[in-house]
Amino acid sequence: MAIASPDTPVRTARITRVFIYLFLLLFALFYLLPFGIMVINSVKPLSEITGGNMIALPREWTIEPWLSAWSTAQIGVQPTGLRPYFINSLMMAIPAVLLSTAVGALNGYVLTKWRFKGDTLIFGLLLFSCFIPFQIVLIPMARILGILQMASTTQGLILVHFVYGIGFTTLYFRNYYAAFPTELVRAAQIDGAGFFQIFWRIMLPSSGPIIAVSFIWQFTNIWNDFLFGASFASGGAAPMTVALNNLVNSSTGVREYNVHFAGAIMAAAPTLLVYIVAGRYFVRGLMSGSVKG
Amino acid sequence: MGFLDIDNVTKSYGAVEVLHRVDIDVDEGEFLVLVGPSGCGKSTLLNMIAGLEGITSGEIRIRGRVMNGVHPSRRNIAMVFQSYALYPNMTVGKNITFGLEMHGTPKAERDKAMRDVAQLLQIEHLLDRKPGQLSGGQRQRVAMGRALVRDPDVFLFDEPLSNLDAKLRVDMRTEIKKLHQRLGTTIVYVTHDQIEAMTLSTRIAVMFDGHVQQLGTPKEIYDSPANLFVATFMGSPAMNVLPTRLEERNGMLHALLTGADGAERALAMPHAPAAASAHKDAEVLLGIRPEAITDPEGADRKARTIQPMTNRVTVTEPAGADTFVTMTLSGKDCIARMRADAYVEPGRDFDFAINMDKAVLFDPRTEARIA
Ligand SMILES: Nc1ncnc2c1ncn2[C@@H]1O[C@H](COP(=O)(O)OP(=O)(O)OP(=O)(O)O)[C@@H](O)[C@H]1O
Ligand SMILES: [Mg+2]
């Protein structure tokens, strides 16, 4: 009745926790399953897959599919493997991420610490750019790249991703810097620091978490982008995503599923790596931006 | 012309004027405290001196040089902020010398200045720490060190103690006062704490609603408040303000009050200001500080007019050094401040002694002091 045993709340809490963990484990396994199957099949000879054995571990282990996907597989008409396209993607993603993050940080700094007439309107417009669907900008962007003579080049793709990313990076940095104490900027002004000195010496050193957020977000989006890549950089300048598609679609004769699996893992690896290395900053940065801002 | 001239300065945000014609001259070595309730415009005025806010009209001069439009870093001022505003990514040493570095002072000179200041403030052992690893009081010292190292003409403090706990606040208050006496620098200090204002300042500007209500020494402000606002804002517990009627009896002005029993109490005011006679037979407000109402033995020996008054005690509140005694006078609560060992019992009549030298009169219509 009213006399509850003293350990009751503790015990129920423990039981609940066991259930929660079981549940989470189940989901984690469920989500890992496709990736596991990809890995398993990328180290099997093709005959084992076509023999109807998708789920089981390989009877004969081989890294041949990986080597083939990387350097000899047929991409479109050339037997180059994915390597040149992987490099294309790196050459595109790294500059675009750095540029859009730098400009976003500067925008966020100005929009919060150097307020001017109409700044909220400008921020609103920048924010609006986050919600413009990709498809709408395709034709104007193609025209601009044509005028700039950057069609079908990696530089062209850098420009597209850089410009498209500014809206997001500005949003991140503005929210983060809105919570950054303005008194620090004022103190630095009295100390005689100028516009860029304040940015470089005071703001940026305290921006680690939000820089991580911006890097991860931008890198994942740019690396995974297919539409812009397919539209503006066909042929030799194509990024990894487009090349993977070509690999899967263009192989003549037998479909080398094991090679496709290996290529798909290669395409996903960099974003996975970025999440594993910087993922905890991502959560921390998003929290500090949204909760305090 | 003073060292720091605030000459008819106003500040507007859009159509709203938040500071109205502020006119203060500060002499070299003065400790001016701007005090007032939240939102009265203290920080705004301080930021205008610092150059962090524009001046809508009027002029601010330091050493005769007009400061309107001059960048904060070229005004030769230093500021200590309420949050201390220490750069979180730099060590204490770097925090202190950052301003010198920005002004192009050579490294050797910077290091010497840093050591001197660190020694003065006793923070030498903290120089390699980051601000996040300091206590509130230590941060406070570092913030002062950052201001001192520049050897500025004017120090500006914006509520520097309000983030500290009560004990530390009192300690740091003394420390700031010592520092001022030792270095003789000119200081403008913002606070909403009237005790800080009284203890630290050589002069106080009491502000309310964007107006300077009164500018004067702590004693002037406390003893001769310009109006009802200053009278009740300064002092704790606040001055008792009692509706009263002035009448002439035996050729002398008397303030007439009603006791707790409903009967009249007449307090003679032989030293009432001359202007008071114009309010004869009219309602005025009588202001008496709690410490001017005591038991007869505790009364000030030097006072010229001590008036006895018997009244019913409502509540007594022993507070260690003093005992606060509450009674009802003219329908208002009236607080008296007694010696701790005065024997007062609630619910009983008590013979009070009122020092009428310290009593002030206010015009109920304009709320200005009758003087
Ligand atoms: N940027 C601004 N735009 C419009 N009004 C402002 C702005 N900044 C301050 N004010 C107004 O100016 C008045 C004075 O503000 P100020 O910050 O100087 O007050 P304060 O006396 O320092 O108060 P506190 O003790 O709370 O710090 C307030 O009424 C405030 O609302
Ligand atoms: Mg303020």
Side-chain angles (χ1 to χ4, degrees):
Chain A
M1 204 191 59
I3 308 158
S5 106
D7 61 351
T8 304
V10 180
R11 220 175 50 215
T12 41
R14 195 175 303 152
I15 292 170
T16 324
R17 184 164 308 176
V18 168
F19 270 106
I20 288 173
Y21 277 108
L22 274 178
F23 212 60
L24 289 176
L25 204 69
L26 209 67
F27 270 98
L29 283 175
F30 185 70
Y31 281 111
L32 270 174
L33 203 62
F35 184 70
I37 289 182
M38 278 172 76
V39 174
I40 289 170
N41 286 296
S42 72
V43 291
K44 268 181 203 169
L46 186 60
S47 56
E48 281 186 37
I49 302 177
T50 46
N53 190 6
M54 279 269 274
I55 310 288
L57 287 172
R59 259 166 291 163
E60 184 192 331
W61 297 78
T62 170
I63 56 158
E64 202 51 46
W66 282 79
L67 296 177
S68 167
W70 183 244
S71 52
T72 61
Q74 187 93 8
I75 310 291
V77 287
Q78 304 283 342
T80 55
L82 287 169
R83 185 174 56 182
Y85 304 99
F86 189 89
I87 293 170
N88 278 351
S89 267
L90 280 183
M91 300 293 283
M92 161 189 82
I94 292 172
V97 168
L98 292 179
L99 281 172
S100 57
T101 301
V103 170
L106 210 53
N107 282 349
Y109 170 51
V110 171
L111 287 172
T112 52
K113 303 304 173 207
W114 298 83
R115 309 283 308 266
F116 53 91
K117 230 184 165 62
D119 56 357
T120 38
L121 180 70
I122 289 190
F123 179 58
L125 292 175
L126 278 168
L127 207 57
F128 191 57
S129 79
C130 301
F131 303 113
I132 300 177
F134 277 26
Q135 291 77 357
I136 288 179
V137 301
L138 280 181
I139 292 171
M141 192 56 95
R143 179 99 183 91
I144 289 172
L145 290 179
I147 292 169
L148 295 174
Q149 307 211 313
M150 282 173 142
S152 294
T153 64
T154 301
Q155 287 88 323
L157 274 188
I158 293 175
L159 180 72
V160 173
H161 287 300
F162 162 46
V163 171
Y164 208 86
I166 289 175
F168 290 96
T169 55
T170 301
L171 170 65
Y172 288 144
F173 279 96
R174 199 209 76 111
N175 285 355
Y176 188 76
Y177 287 154
F180 191 90
T182 303
E183 284 195 347
L184 280 175
V185 176
R186 297 188 147 192
Q189 273 181 289
I190 291 177
D191 270 344
F195 178 85
F196 282 108
Q197 278 169 323
I198 294 175
F199 181 56
W200 194 250
R201 303 277 304 266
I202 313 288
M203 307 291 289
L204 272 191
S206 305
S207 308
I210 204 67
I211 291 175
V213 168
S214 178
F215 274 8
I216 293 178
W217 176 265
Q218 284 297 95
F219 187 83
T220 321
N221 274 319
I222 295 173
W223 186 274
N224 287 339
D225 163 70
F226 181 79
L227 185 62
F228 285 156
S231 311
F232 303 134
S234 48
M240 190 70 173
T241 45
V242 175
L244 180 67
N245 180 59
N246 291 347
L247 168 76
V248 174
N249 282 333
S250 71
S251 36
T252 47
V254 225
R255 289 195 163 251
E256 298 181 292
Y257 292 114
N258 50 357
V259 176
H260 298 174
F261 279 128
I265 296 172
M266 282 178 199
T271 49
L272 273 179
L273 191 75
V274 165
Y275 261 112
I276 291 166
V277 171
R280 58 206 168 98
Y281 292 109
F282 187 72
V283 177
R284 204 183 299 164
L286 276 185
M287 294 303 281
S288 61
S290 54
V291 175
K292 279 196 243 145
Chain B
M1 192 174 68
F3 187 75
L4 163 67
D5 286 343
I6 302 164
D7 189 356
N8 262 313
V9 160
T10 65
K11 175 73 187 177
S12 305
Y13 289 109
V16 190
E17 193 171 278
V18 297
L19 276 182
H20 321 281
R21 292 191 155 272
V22 175
D23 210 19
I24 303 174
D25 282 2
V26 185
D27 287 329
E28 183 155 18
E30 251 197 294
F31 198 131
L32 175 75
V33 172
L34 306 175
V35 67
S38 187
C40 68
K42 313 176 293 283
S43 297
T44 305
L45 182 57
L46 198 74
N47 288 338
M48 286 163 82
I49 300 172
L52 298 168
E53 295 273 4
I55 299 165
T56 307
S57 77
E59 237 176 48
I60 290 181
R61 291 181 295 271
I62 298 177
R63 290 178 178 269
R65 201 158 68 92
V66 178
M67 287 296 153
N68 298 39
V70 175
H71 191 269
S73 68
R74 298 205 191 84
R75 295 186 176 206
N76 204 17
I77 48 117
M79 188 151 169
V80 176
F81 294 88
Q82 179 171 357
S83 65
Y84 316 136
L86 300 178
Y87 310 126
N89 53 304
M90 298 183 200
T91 62
V92 167
K94 265 262 173 245
N95 260 287
I96 292 176
T97 54
F98 184 72
L100 295 177
E101 186 191 334
M102 289 296 117
H103 281 81
T105 313
K107 176 108 174 62
E109 218 171 297
R110 290 204 308 257
D111 285 347
K112 186 183 172 327
M114 176 183 80
R115 276 195 303 275
D116 290 349
V117 164
Q119 196 178 12
L120 180 71
L121 295 170
Q122 297 165 348
I123 49 172
E124 289 144 303
H125 58 294
L126 304 175
L127 287 175
D128 292 324
R129 290 208 208 160
K130 292 272 177 71
Q133 303 162 319
L134 302 178
S135 71
Q138 290 169 331
R139 277 178 221 187
Q140 173 63 50
R141 270 169 216 270
V142 175
M144 292 213 296
R146 188 168 67 180
L148 282 171
V149 80
R150 301 263 312 275
D151 191 22
D153 288 335
V154 182
F155 281 96
L156 306 174
F157 287 84
D158 194 353
E159 310 214 16
L161 304 183
S162 54
N163 283 350
L164 302 178
D165 64 53
K167 164 109 178 57
L168 200 52
R169 196 177 313 168
V170 175
D171 292 348
M172 288 308 290
R173 199 169 73 196
T174 316
E175 198 122 340
I176 292 177
K177 181 139 192 171
K178 272 194 212 152
L179 214 58
H180 175 249
Q181 283 174 354
R182 183 150 149 206
L183 303 174
T185 43
T186 312
I187 295 179
V188 182
Y189 185 107
V190 163
T191 179
H192 60 254
D193 179 347
Q194 46 91 19
I195 298 180
E196 245 170 64
M198 294 293 294
T199 49
L200 285 173
S201 65
T202 58
R203 265 199 311 161
I204 299 178
V206 184
M207 296 179 63
F208 179 58
D209 216 7
H211 290 279
V212 174
Q213 303 286 330
Q214 189 174 4
L215 177 65
T217 63
K219 191 171 164 51
E220 281 166 6
I221 300 273
Y222 195 74
D223 289 343
S224 321
N227 56 38
L228 208 53
F229 173 79
V230 177
T232 47
F233 187 77
M234 302 299 288
S236 173
M239 181 185 268
N240 298 300
V241 178
L242 308 168
T244 185
R245 191 178 163 77
L246 286 184
E247 249 175 46
E248 193 168 278
R249 292 184 181 173
N250 315 324
M252 203 189 292
L253 270 186
H254 281 69
L256 304 187
L257 298 165
T258 320
D261 52 6
E264 181 192 274
R265 307 280 193 277
L267 302 174
M269 300 187 75
H271 302 287
S277 48
H279 293 264
K280 200 158 61 183
D281 302 322
E283 302 292 328
V284 295
L285 297 171
L286 174 70
I288 309 175
R289 295 231 175 252
E291 62 270 24
I293 310 175
T294 56
D295 56 320
E297 293 81 41
D300 185 355
R301 302 266 171 263
K302 296 212 188 75
R304 291 171 297 178
T305 324
I306 300 280
Q307 287 285 296
M309 184 192 72
T310 306
N311 200 10
R312 174 76 44 88
V313 171
T314 330
V315 180
T316 63
E317 294 165 280
D322 307 300
T323 297
F324 295 105
V325 177
T326 308
M327 64 186 124
T328 305
L329 260 184
S330 296
K332 302 262 180 203
D333 273 350
C334 176
I335 297 179
R337 184 181 207 147
M338 306 274 177
R339 299 172 294 134
D341 45 4
Y343 186 72
V344 190
E345 260 186 309
R348 295 275 180 81
D349 276 350
F350 186 79
D351 295 323
F352 293 96
I354 304 183
N355 180 355
M356 292 307 283
D357 293 5
K358 298 282 185 184
V360 284
L361 297 170
F362 298 98
D363 184 326
R365 204 170 38 79
T366 63
E367 300 201 341
R369 184 166 55 94
I370 301 168

